[in-house]
Amino acid sequence: MNPDQGGVCQGIRNTLPAMASLNCDNDVVCLDGVDDTFGVKDAFRVIRLGERVGPWAYSKKLRGWLRNSLPDYDAVVINGLWTYHSFAVTSVVSQLRREGVTNLPRVYVMPHGMLDPWFQRQPSRRLKAYRNWAYWKAAEHRTVRHADGLLFTCRKELELAREPFRPYRPKQEINVGYGVPSPPRFTTEMKSAFLEACPQAVNRPYLLFISRIHPKKGVDLLLRAYAEMAGKYKTAEGVPLLVVAGPCDSAYAEEMKELARQLGLWNAMPSIEDGSKPQVTFPGMLRGDAKWGAFYGCEAFVLPSHQENFGIAVVEALACGKPVLISNQVNIWDEIQDYDACLVEDDSQIGTNRLIDQWLKLSAEARGEMGQSALQCYGKNYRPESVAARFISALSGA
């Protein structure tokens, strides 16, 4: 449940409080260290069984806990695939059934995008793709086949999950959606916290990228597109600042900083004498007030990702009334486009250039209308309360 790992644990934290408000109690069982709270106080019970071991995340305590505790629950959701926890649940349930235990819970699997064909087709993941294929044949297809159903975050994820592996025989495919809590109301403290973390944005309009700085996210495409647009729009206003917010402690993040330097977009030590201003800045990971200040203050959110199962940050931007500039590999792009709350292009250099260019050409009036549409899109599709109701309906077998 380490929040730095994003994705799955964030989705759980978004959904369970809304389910509790509908009188559905939940426990989370994980393989974190027994004292690892990561500074987070959750509103639901987290049962930490101890550190996992190795890349398979093996835990010698998990099977025993499952044997003793599964009959106490009405339903179990396996969040994610490819590690020991999914194998353990499937094998223990099968064993208990053979032993004649009848009061067992319904079991569902929520892949969280882990069955997306991108992971099998991406050249840089070739060895992992072979490993996943072998593991699917040996074990994971049974997890899917034996479960009472598969739960998906959006329609596109459900459709894509059918492509990469055989045999693929789920009993049910259910699009439950994904809830993202409403952001806190804007305060001046949020603006101050963001500008303290990112002083380059003082009195400047900016576009916001906030995510992991990872090859999958299309950061290189975005930087090159910015260099192209900076050369094209040589006006008094120029292009807005680009804020690339995310952990900067990886080798790839350093590569992206170097690329920004080479493109003339960023300098770690800008010259005060010549009055130059960076066109890109890397403030690191933004949290709390600084994060919300970044969302509320931006012109638009941008994510030209090569693969995005859902995109929590995309929906957070919508909830703040901000248009989103995204690739058509963000799986909810069509849902957002139905509300005219986004610009969408291919996840290519040409597509990303076009994405930024289209935004810069929009009038202030058109941008304002997109912002209003963003709020409507969030309200109709991504509030946790409506998603929790669908989730509970699915888990009850309705």
Side-chain angles (χ1 to χ4, degrees):
M1 293 294 287
N2 185 348
D4 289 342
Q5 296 179 356
V8 175
C9 62
Q10 186 59 53
I12 291 170
R13 289 191 169 100
N14 289 348
T15 303
L16 296 198
M19 294 177 71
S21 71
L22 298 175
N23 298 316
C24 179
D25 294 327
N26 293 272
D27 294 336
V28 172
V29 181
C30 67
L31 304 181
D32 295 333
V34 293
D35 297 320
D36 289 343
T37 64
F38 307 105
V40 178
K41 188 174 181 179
D42 289 306
F44 46 86
R45 185 167 68 140
V46 180
I47 302 167
R48 300 175 176 88
L49 296 182
E51 291 287 357
R52 53 199 176 275
V53 177
W56 196 33
Y58 172 76
S59 168
K60 63 182 179 181
K61 295 182 179 180
L62 181 56
R63 288 182 65 92
W65 187 91
L66 291 169
R67 283 189 61 87
N68 292 330
S69 304
L70 280 178
D72 296 334
Y73 293 89
D74 297 312
V76 170
V77 178
I78 300 170
N79 283 281
L81 295 167
W82 308 124
T83 52
Y84 175 69
H85 74 294
S86 60
F87 172 81
V89 173
T90 302
S91 60
V92 169
V93 168
S94 296
Q95 184 177 9
L96 291 174
R97 283 175 178 159
R98 289 194 299 270
E99 294 172 3
V101 179
T102 57
N103 58 329
L104 292 173
R106 293 177 295 279
V107 177
Y108 294 86
V109 176
M110 194 163 191
H112 293 274
M114 296 180 190
L115 295 179
D116 194 301
W118 181 86
F119 294 105
Q120 293 302 104
R121 296 171 182 167
Q122 176 64 15
S124 65
R125 291 180 49 87
R126 187 167 298 169
L127 289 178
K128 290 182 179 178
Y130 289 144
R131 177 203 65 190
N132 285 356
W133 180 255
Y135 189 62
W136 179 268
K137 290 289 190 181
E140 208 70 295
H141 77 277
R142 295 185 180 88
T143 299
V144 168
R145 188 177 77 241
H146 291 170
D148 291 280
L150 267 62
L151 309 176
F152 296 98
T153 61
C154 63
R155 180 177 64 246
K156 191 66 174 177
E157 185 200 359
L158 184 154
E159 295 168 352
L160 290 172
R162 299 167 179 167
E163 297 182 16
F165 298 106
R166 296 291 181 273
Y168 177 76
R169 302 190 186 99
K171 294 175 183 175
Q172 290 186 87
E173 298 168 303
I174 309 168
N175 176 18
V176 293
Y178 216 45
V180 176
S182 299
R185 290 181 179 274
F186 173 75
T187 65
T188 55
E189 287 79 10
M190 292 175 181
K191 179 179 180 180
S192 298
F194 168 63
L195 293 178
E196 182 178 348
C198 188
Q200 297 84 354
V202 173
N203 297 324
R204 295 181 69 184
Y206 61 93
L207 298 184
L208 176 66
F209 168 100
I210 184 166
S211 187
R212 289 181 300 146
I213 301 176
H214 184 277
K216 190 181 77 167
K217 303 292 183 175
V219 184
D220 56 331
L221 301 179
L222 185 55
L223 293 175
R224 291 190 174 94
Y226 237 70
E228 179 77 17
M229 295 304 110
K232 181 176 180 178
Y233 290 89
K234 293 182 178 179
T235 63
E237 296 82 12
V239 296
L241 177 71
L242 174 63
V243 177
V244 179
C248 289
D249 54 356
S250 68
Y252 184 74
E254 289 301 320
E255 287 180 31
M256 292 301 97
K257 288 182 180 180
E258 180 58 32
L259 176 60
R261 289 190 195 96
Q262 293 172 4
L263 294 170
L265 297 173
W266 181 69
N267 187 344
M269 300 178 65
S271 170
I272 298 175
E273 290 77 13
D274 65 12
S276 63
K277 294 182 178 179
Q279 290 168 305
V280 176
T281 185
F282 297 84
M285 190 70 175
L286 300 177
R287 300 183 187 277
D289 279 355
K291 168 188 160 180
W292 293 117
F295 273 121
Y296 277 117
C298 71
E299 287 190 340
F301 176 83
V302 58
L303 182 65
S305 185
H306 297 297
Q307 189 278 331
E308 207 70 35
N309 178 57
F310 180 82
I312 291 174
V314 175
V315 176
E316 289 177 330
L318 296 173
C320 292
K322 300 301 176 179
V324 295
L325 319 180
I326 54 179
S327 77
N328 55 13
Q329 300 305 307
V330 177
N331 280 351
I332 57 173
W333 71 267
D334 53 346
E335 299 174 2
I336 303 172
Q337 192 176 60
D338 286 344
Y339 286 80
D340 297 322
C342 64
L343 297 177
V344 183
E345 289 291 345
D346 292 339
D347 63 322
S348 63
Q349 192 61 65
I350 292 174
T352 308
N353 291 2
R354 199 157 48 215
L355 194 64
I356 305 302
D357 195 23
Q358 286 182 62
W359 174 255
L360 295 175
K361 289 177 178 177
L362 284 180
S363 67
E365 181 182 7
R367 294 179 183 182
E369 290 174 354
M370 286 182 69
Q372 291 301 312
S373 298
L375 286 171
Q376 294 173 12
C377 179
Y378 168 74
K380 292 288 186 180
N381 293 280
Y382 305 118
R383 288 191 181 278
E385 294 78 12
S386 58
V387 172
R390 292 198 297 272
F391 215 107
I392 293 170
S393 177
L395 297 184
S396 65

